[in-house]
Amino acid sequence: MVAGEVVDDLGAVVRVRRPVRRVVSLVPSLTEAIAVSCPDLLAGATEWCTHPPGLSVERVRGTKNPNVRRIVEIAPDLVVCNQEENRRIDVERLRDAGIAVWVTRIRTLEEAFASMGRLFTVGLDVGMPDWLAQAEACWAPPPPKPLCNAVIPVWRDPWMVVGRDTFTGDLARRLGLRLVHADLPERYPTVSTHELVANVDLAVLPDEPYVFTETDGPEAFPGMPVALVEGHHLTWYGPSLVTARKSLTDRLAQAAVRP
């Protein structure tokens, strides 16, 4: 095998063995993308990597506490991470152990498309996956107008919501939503119960990371339409983007006031 130098989303030079034959993914979205596009390469993933269903690869703990020692033993040609979802210290430990690590940075849909394209064509050197062009076509139409004032909680006790400069926030805008907390300085601000509902016309409750359900979440928004959505459609930037827009649009259209 020969090694070549490539540059990841953060500008880091990554020395990758060619051809890439073994990959460990520490990000659910990237795991889904690799498993759908080139499944034979995937040698390990986190416990949170739930898509595609039935994925059978070795698990190396979580996104925030990966089993670095075991990953080194697996000896992957490349480990794929994300700036937001993984810790810098784990990336540094893997690199110090001689493991090539590719880090993505994704805060908008455009960044997602560009990052995924670079990962497959430059990082993995396997060519552009078919689903990427399909996803771009699905999200090409402009958002509906006027925008609806909305909130997307990601946790409760305390309440945390989607704010500024987030991939989820960018998707929300393209779905016709204006996140009322996007003016706050934090990307995922913690808010009071009053701030949670102030000036909000629609609550969008995903089932991850907090599992909002019919009986856990809607009661905090009395008299307000609530849409329960699949979290991976709202936060993942892999092949699920192909079906995400229709699924989320349908769920928003079905939003109802819960008793």
Side-chain angles (χ1 to χ4, degrees), residues 153-252:
V154 294
W155 204 258
R156 70 178 304 176
D157 299 329
W159 286 100
M160 295 180 65
V161 299
V162 177
R164 62 188 302 173
D165 300 329
T166 63
F167 176 75
T168 298
D170 189 48
L171 250 61
R173 179 184 61 81
R174 295 168 186 273
L175 293 168
L177 306 180
R178 188 187 78 82
L179 299 186
V180 299
H181 301 99
D183 295 334
L184 297 177
E186 300 88 358
R187 297 180 64 232
Y188 295 96
T190 299
V191 298
S192 67
T193 53
H194 171 72
E195 293 171 319
L196 178 69
V197 299
N199 302 314
V200 171
D201 298 318
L202 172 68
V204 181
L205 307 186
D207 59 7
E208 62 177 52
Y210 187 92
V211 185
F212 290 105
T213 66
E214 289 279 0
T215 58
D216 186 355
E219 77 287 348
F221 304 91
M224 184 185 304
V226 174
L228 293 167
V229 303
E230 293 181 72
H232 80 279
H233 277 150
L234 198 57
T235 61
W236 291 28
Y237 37 82
S240 59
L241 283 173
V242 175
T243 57
R245 186 166 193 170
K246 183 180 186 308
S247 174
L248 292 168
T249 299
D250 289 347
R251 292 292 183 95
L252 294 180

Side-chain angles (χ1 to χ4, degrees), residues 10 34 38 40 75 99 102 133 148 150-151 195 210 223 225 228 240 244 249 257:
L10 302 188
I34 295 169
C38 41
D40 292 343
I99 303 297
W102 177 283
C148 174
V151 59
E195 293 171 319
Y210 187 92
L228 293 167
S240 59
T249 299
V257 178

Side-chain angles (χ1 to χ4, degrees), residues 62-73:
T63 57
K64 306 296 186 185
N65 66 334
N67 188 335
V68 172
R69 178 178 298 179
R70 180 55 190 149
I71 295 172
V72 173
E73 291 173 349

Side-chain angles (χ1 to χ4, degrees), residues 63-201:
T63 57
K64 306 296 186 185
N65 66 334
N67 188 335
V68 172
R69 178 178 298 179
R70 180 55 190 149
I71 295 172
V72 173
E73 291 173 349
I74 293 173
D77 300 312
L78 189 66
V79 172
V80 292
C81 297
N82 176 263
Q83 182 186 39
E84 180 175 338
E85 296 193 52
N86 304 115
R87 302 188 306 169
R88 177 183 295 182
I89 189 171
D90 294 318
V91 172
E92 292 173 347
R93 286 170 175 168
L94 287 166
R95 286 176 172 164
D96 288 344
I99 303 297
V101 182
W102 177 283
V103 182
T104 60
R105 180 188 186 277
I106 297 172
R107 293 189 179 183
T108 67
L109 191 61
E110 285 88 352
E111 284 186 347
F113 293 146
S115 179
M116 292 295 94
R118 292 188 64 253
L119 172 62
F120 283 97
T121 61
V122 179
L124 300 176
D125 193 27
V126 294
M128 197 77 75
D130 292 340
W131 61 262
L132 192 52
Q134 296 171 19
E136 290 188 76
C138 289
W139 288 93
K145 293 183 178 180
L147 300 182
C148 174
N149 288 346
V151 59
I152 304 178
V154 294
W155 204 258
R156 70 178 304 176
D157 299 329
W159 286 100
M160 295 180 65
V161 299
V162 177
R164 62 188 302 173
D165 300 329
T166 63
F167 176 75
T168 298
D170 189 48
L171 250 61
R173 179 184 61 81
R174 295 168 186 273
L175 293 168
L177 306 180
R178 188 187 78 82
L179 299 186
V180 299
H181 301 99
D183 295 334
L184 297 177
E186 300 88 358
R187 297 180 64 232
Y188 295 96
T190 299
V191 298
S192 67
T193 53
H194 171 72
E195 293 171 319
L196 178 69
V197 299
N199 302 314
V200 171
D201 298 318

Side-chain angles (χ1 to χ4, degrees), residues 2-19:
V2 297
E5 291 187 347
V6 293
V7 179
D8 69 11
D9 287 0
L10 302 188
V13 176
V14 184
R15 190 169 177 79
V16 185
R17 294 193 297 265
R18 300 295 193 194

